[in-house]
Amino acid sequence: MTHSVTLIEGDGIGPEVVEAARRIIDATGLPIHWDVCEAGAKVFKQGLATGVPPETIESIKQTKVVLKGPLETPVGYGEKSANVTLRALFETYANTRPVRQIPGIQTPFSGRSIDFVIVRENIEDLYAGIEYLQTPSVAEALKLITRKGSEKIIRFAFELARAEGRHKVHCATKANILKLTEGLFKKTFEDISKEYPDIEAHHIIIDNCAHQLVVRPEDFDVIVTTNLHGDIISDLGSGLVGGLGVAPAANIGDEVAIFEAVHGSAPDIAGKNMVNPTALLFSSVLMLRHLKEFETAERIEQSLLYTLGVQKAFLKDLDKNSTLTTTAFTDLVIQNLGKKTDFWPIRPYKPLRLPLVQNPSEDVPRKEVGFDLYIESSLSSEKLGKSLGTIALPSPFELKMISNRGVQVYPAIGGIRPDTVDHWRARFFLKDKNTTITDKDIFDLTAQIALHHQWMHLEKLNEFNHAPAFTKAQGEE
Ligand code: NAI
C-alpha cells in the first residue's frame, strides 16, 4: 500500500533535514507519495497572516500525516506562529517527545540507560493564549484545563505505555498550588489510572519532577503533564541525551499527526550542509510506526544507531572538529540500512489505540453563592473596603473580603499591609445562603459600584456538588 504524506520543507535548515529524511525513507523501498506543500516564512511574506495556505490545509485533510521541517515566525509578517496554527487547526493534542540515550553520544548522563517519553498536552493551559491587560499595568492570562482535554491526554499516555511495552506513568502537576486547574488534571489521572491496572501510576509535583529528571532520569518511563510544564521539561529531556540535533517530536490528534524535530530553523547554520538531521530522522521513525510500518521504522532506527553508535559519525553539533556534511551523513545512514546494533533493545511496538473521550455530563447540583468583582482603583485597601461594604448594604450581598494579587488585604490580616497594586478583587457572598441569586441582583450591585469605581471583570462564585467551585484568597477564612 502506498502511503500519502504531506511534506513541508520549512525554513532555514528545514529543506536540508527534510531532504535527508525523504532520501532515507525512499531508500528503504517503502512506497510513499510525498505531497510537497508550503508553510512558514515564504507564505507569510506572500501576505498570508496564518503562514499556512489553503492548499496545505487541503493536503493535510486528505493525507492526515505530515512530516515537516521547522517553521520560522518572521517578525513583522504574520502575527501567529504557523506551527501553532497547524497544531491548533488539526487538534494535535498529544505532543510526544521520546528521550532516549543514544549510545556513542557522550553527555554528562551517558551510561544511565535513559529511556522515557514525555507526553505533553498540546492545546489547553496557558497556551490557549487568552490574555488581557486588566489595567494598563496588570496583565492576566487564563489557564484553561478541561476534564475532556485532560482525560484525552492521560488516556493517550497510558495507551502509549501499553503500545511501547512500558510499565510506569508519572503525572506531573502543580496541584499543590493550583488546586482547581492542575488539581483537575491530577484528579482525572487518579480516575483514569484505575482502568490501567497493568501500568504503575504515580503523581509527582512538577518541580520535583524537574529535579528527579536530572538526579535519576533512568527512573522515568512515561511522563504526562500539562502544556507549559511539558514545554519546559521536554527541552530539559532533550538536554539529557545530546541536545536539539537528536530530539524528535510527534504531535498526534484524533485525525491528523504531525511529525517534526524539536529544534527550530537554525538560521545560523542554514544552507551550509552541516546540520544534524538525526532529530527529524527519529521523528520519521515515529511517523513510520504511526503508519504501522514497524519493520521499516526499525530498519531506519537501527541504521541511525549504527551510524552514530558504532561508526561514531558525528556532525559539528556533537563533535566540533567534525567535517562531516549532512549529505555524507545521510549517505552513511542509507548504506547502513539493514545493519543492526545490540545496544538498543527493540521494543515490542504495537499500534497505538487513540482514546475516544466524550464531553462529561454537566448535570451536577449547582448553586450560585456570590461573585468576585475585579476593580481598578488607586484607593487604599481600607478606603476601598469601606466604600464597597457601604454600597453593598442594601443589596442581598455582603463584602466578604478584598484581595490584591491573591492575598486578602481587607479586612487586613494580623495588621500586615502587603504591597499592593491598582488591581483588586472584591468578593461578595449572599447574606442569606438560602436565598437564590438572579443575574439582576448581581448586575444591580455592579451598577451601583460602577457609579463610584472602575470595574473590569466579574466572575460568578458557584458551588458544584455542594463544594465551592472557586479557591480562597491567601489568608481568607
Ligand atoms: P533553533 O532550534 O533553530 O536553534 C538553536 C541553536 O541550536 C542554534 O545554534 C542552532 O544552530 C542549533 N541547532 C538547532 N537544530 C540543530 C540541528 N539539527 N543540528 C545542529 N545544530 C542545530 O532555535 P531558535 O534559534 O530559537 O529559533 C530559530 C527559529 O526557529 C525561530 O523563528 C523560531 O520561531 C523557529 N522555531 C520553530 C520550531 C518549529 O517549527 N517546530 C521550533 C522552535 C523554533
Side-chain angles (χ1 to χ4, degrees):
M1 166 193 173
T2 301
H3 298 284
S4 286
V5 173
T6 301
L7 190 73
I8 299 173
E9 287 190 331
D11 305 315
I13 56 172
E16 295 164 78
V17 290
V18 165
E19 176 61 12
R22 178 180 174 157
R23 277 186 59 210
I24 292 166
I25 296 173
D26 286 347
T28 65
L30 186 77
I32 291 206
H33 165 68
W34 302 104
D35 192 15
V36 180
C37 289
E38 285 189 347
K42 257 190 265 169
V43 182
F44 283 123
K45 283 177 191 156
Q46 287 159 11
L48 196 65
T50 58
V52 186
E55 306 83 74
T56 303
I57 294 174
E58 205 39 53
S59 166
I60 299 173
K61 275 181 163 161
Q62 299 297 324
T63 64
K64 304 191 187 316
V65 180
V66 182
L67 183 65
K68 68 174 273 290
L71 305 179
E72 199 180 294
T73 310
V75 180
Y77 296 97
E79 285 183 15
K80 293 273 180 189
S81 142
N83 286 307
V84 177
T85 302
L86 277 175
R87 289 177 200 164
L89 209 60
F90 293 104
E91 279 259 353
T92 54
Y93 66 90
N95 186 323
T96 62
R97 294 197 180 171
V99 178
R100 197 165 191 183
Q101 192 125 53
I102 301 164
I105 297 182
Q106 281 304 312
T107 74
F109 297 90
S110 288
R112 300 279 290 272
S113 308
I114 297 174
D115 176 10
F116 61 88
V117 185
I118 296 174
V119 177
R120 162 187 168 195
E121 201 290 321
N122 219 13
I123 306 279
E124 303 190 339
D125 198 356
L126 290 160
Y127 288 69
I130 307 171
E131 295 190 290
Y132 304 93
L133 273 173
Q134 288 213 331
T135 79
S137 54
V138 178
E140 178 201 60
L142 277 190
K143 179 177 167 80
L144 284 181
I145 303 286
T146 69
R147 169 80 196 193
K148 187 181 186 184
S150 304
E151 189 172 334
K152 272 175 98 165
I153 195 72
I154 288 162
R155 284 188 185 279
F156 181 96
F158 280 105
E159 291 296 341
L160 181 104
R162 278 187 178 164
E164 298 199 353
R166 295 178 182 272
H167 305 291
K168 202 165 30 173
V169 179
H170 278 88
C171 168
T173 75
K174 195 72 190 168
N176 51 331
I177 304 292
L178 299 168
K179 297 196 188 298
L180 295 187
T181 48
E182 294 276 315
L184 178 57
F185 198 82
K186 175 173 181 274
K187 167 84 172 61
T188 309
F189 178 76
E190 286 158 359
D191 293 345
I192 302 301
S193 61
K194 295 187 187 117
E195 295 178 37
Y196 295 86
D198 49 321
I199 312 273
E200 268 180 56
H202 304 275
H203 175 260
I204 186 167
I205 303 282
I206 184 67
D207 32 336
N208 184 30
C209 181
H211 169 235
Q212 297 298 335
L213 274 170
V214 177
V215 176
R216 286 197 311 226
E218 60 277 12
D219 280 3
F220 290 98
D221 210 358
V222 176
I223 303 173
V224 64
T225 187
T226 50
N227 206 339
L228 179 60
H229 303 325
D231 193 358
I232 298 166
I233 63 164
S234 50
D235 271 33
L236 193 163
S238 332
L240 294 174
V241 294
L244 288 172
V246 298
N251 300 287
I252 298 179
D254 291 335
E255 297 282 329
V256 166
I258 302 173
F259 298 86
E260 62 184 341
V262 170
H263 63 69
S265 58
D268 51 336
I269 55 167
K272 295 185 180 159
N273 203 12
M274 62 185 275
V275 55
N276 185 354
T278 301
L280 193 72
L281 298 179
F282 276 128
S283 309
S284 309
V285 168
L286 298 178
M287 178 185 83
L288 292 170
R289 291 208 175 101
H290 177 80
L291 293 171
K292 303 189 177 62
E293 295 293 349
F294 296 103
E295 228 181 280
T296 311
E298 195 185 309
R299 271 184 82 202
I300 295 179
E301 190 174 63
Q302 286 293 319
S303 160
L304 198 47
L305 291 171
Y306 186 88
T307 311
L308 291 164
V310 178
Q311 295 186 324
K312 307 267 191 287
F314 296 146
L315 284 120
K316 251 197 166 47
D317 61 323
L318 298 175
D319 171 6
K320 65 177 180 344
N321 298 318
S322 169
T323 52
L324 189 66
T325 62
T326 311
T327 332
F329 179 85
T330 308
D331 292 339
L332 277 177
V333 178
I334 292 173
Q335 280 162 27
N336 291 333
L337 283 169
K339 299 219 166 93
K340 285 196 179 205
T341 63
D342 54 6
F343 43 58
W344 186 309
I346 294 161
R347 288 194 167 278
Y349 287 104
K350 287 194 291 233
L352 178 68
R353 262 182 13 153
L354 287 179
L356 280 176
V357 177
Q358 307 296 327
N359 272 315
S361 156
E362 304 295 347
D363 192 17
V364 293
R366 57 170 72 204
K367 179 164 171 51
E368 288 176 15
V369 293
F371 66 103
D372 281 351
L373 193 67
Y374 288 76
I375 290 170
E376 179 181 351
S377 173
S378 55
L379 292 177
S380 68
S381 52
E382 214 39 44
K383 281 194 174 146
L384 184 63
K386 291 212 165 93
S387 165
L388 293 175
T390 310
I391 298 169
L393 277 177
S395 79
F397 302 98
E398 62 191 351
L399 178 67
K400 166 84 186 328
M401 62 103 206
I402 298 177
S403 71
N404 194 287
R405 291 189 290 174
V407 179
Q408 179 171 323
V409 290
Y410 181 86
I413 301 164
I416 298 170
R417 303 216 165 272
D419 195 10
T420 54
V421 296
D422 62 354
H423 176 266
W424 311 84
R425 172 179 55 161
R427 174 157 287 179
F428 295 96
F429 273 152
L430 269 177
K431 286 176 189 155
D432 176 0
K433 276 202 161 185
N434 296 320
T435 52
T436 304
I437 313 182
T438 64
D439 285 349
K440 185 169 178 313
D441 295 325
I442 296 175
F443 296 151
D444 284 350
L445 179 53
T446 304
Q448 286 305 311
I449 292 170
L451 296 175
H452 306 272
H453 304 283
Q454 177 143 334
W455 70 278
M456 82 294 273
H457 177 85
L458 189 157
E459 191 83 39
K460 283 184 179 176
L461 300 178
N462 285 299
E463 282 178 359
F464 295 147
N465 267 329
H466 313 288
F470 49 92
T471 55
K472 287 183 175 172
Q474 298 295 338
E476 184 181 349
E477 288 289 314

